[in-house]
Amino acid sequence: MRRKLKIALVAHDNRKVDIIDWVIYNSSFLAKHSLVCTGTTGTLVKEALASRDIHPDMQIMSSGPMGGDAEIAAMVVRKEIDLAVFLIDDLHPQPHEADIMMLLRQCRVHNVPIACNRYSADLMITSDLWDDEEYIPMDPHYEVFDRQKLNLKVK
C-alpha cells in the first residue's frame, strides 16, 4: 500500500488479547501507518510492537471510559481517521456505552470504515481501494426512500 493511513485502535478489556494478537500478526502493515489508540490499548499496542522493534507514529488518547472513545470520535468528525478497528466486548455492559455508540455512529455518519472483528479488520486493511485513485467513497445519503422514483417493483 502506497497511502499512509491514520488507524484508530480501540479494544475493551476482554478483547485486548484479540487486538494485541491482531496487531502482532499485522505488525509489518501497521509499521507503515499512524496509529491512534485509547489509553490501555495504546500502551499494550506500543509494547507489543516495540517487542518486534517496530515504533510507528502513534498517539495514545485517554482511556475509553475517561473520554478516549469521545476523543477518537471527534477525530473522525474532523476527518483525521481513515480506518477504525474497535473490538467491542459484546458480552458485558460497559460504563461508557454512550461514548461507544457515539464513536460507532460518527464512523457511520462520516463514512469511516470501522471493523468490529478481526476478520473485517483484515479485509479492510488488505483492500486495494486504499490505493485506487479512481475510487471515491460516496457520502451516505440521508433522504426519504422513494421506491417509485427508483422504479423498483414489489414482488
Side-chain angles (χ1 to χ4, degrees):
M1 175 183 297
R2 295 181 307 270
R3 183 173 167 198
K4 184 173 181 174
L5 303 176
K6 184 168 276 192
I7 303 170
L9 300 176
V10 182
H12 289 152
D13 288 348
N14 289 343
R15 301 299 307 280
K16 291 203 188 318
V17 170
D18 280 337
I19 196 99
I20 296 309
D21 189 58
W22 183 83
V23 163
I24 290 169
Y25 183 81
N26 292 292
S27 59
S28 61
F29 173 85
L30 295 172
K32 301 170 190 155
H33 301 280
S34 296
L35 307 178
V36 177
C37 307
T38 50
T40 308
T41 300
T43 302
L44 294 170
V45 165
K46 189 174 185 175
E47 290 173 11
L49 291 173
S51 73
R52 300 177 74 89
D53 201 28
I54 296 172
H55 307 279
D57 175 33
M58 191 167 177
Q59 187 176 2
I60 300 176
M61 311 307 274
S62 300
S63 165
M66 299 305 290
D69 296 340
E71 290 176 307
I72 292 175
M75 294 177 77
V76 167
V77 171
R78 292 190 305 264
K79 308 283 190 220
E80 297 171 6
I81 300 292
D82 298 303
L83 166 68
V85 177
F86 191 172
L87 300 187
I88 300 169
D89 179 358
D90 289 306
L91 302 180
H92 298 93
Q94 301 297 319
H96 60 301
E97 189 70 27
D99 290 349
I100 295 164
M101 292 298 111
M102 178 181 46
L103 176 54
L104 294 171
R105 179 179 180 275
Q106 294 308 321
C107 285
R108 292 189 308 266
V109 167
H110 295 280
N111 214 22
V112 171
I114 182 160
C116 294
N117 60 55
R118 292 177 62 162
Y119 187 37
S120 56
D122 287 336
L123 290 172
M124 288 180 196
I125 67 170
T126 58
S127 174
D128 292 335
L129 294 176
W130 293 113
D131 286 328
D132 185 343
E133 307 254 339
E134 295 178 20
Y135 176 74
I136 299 171
M138 187 171 75
D139 288 333
H141 294 284
Y142 292 97
E143 57 191 66
V144 175
F145 176 70
D146 183 351
R147 184 180 300 274
Q148 292 171 336
K149 180 180 170 184
L150 295 174
N151 267 339
L152 297 176
K153 298 185 190 310
V154 179
K155 292 184 180 186

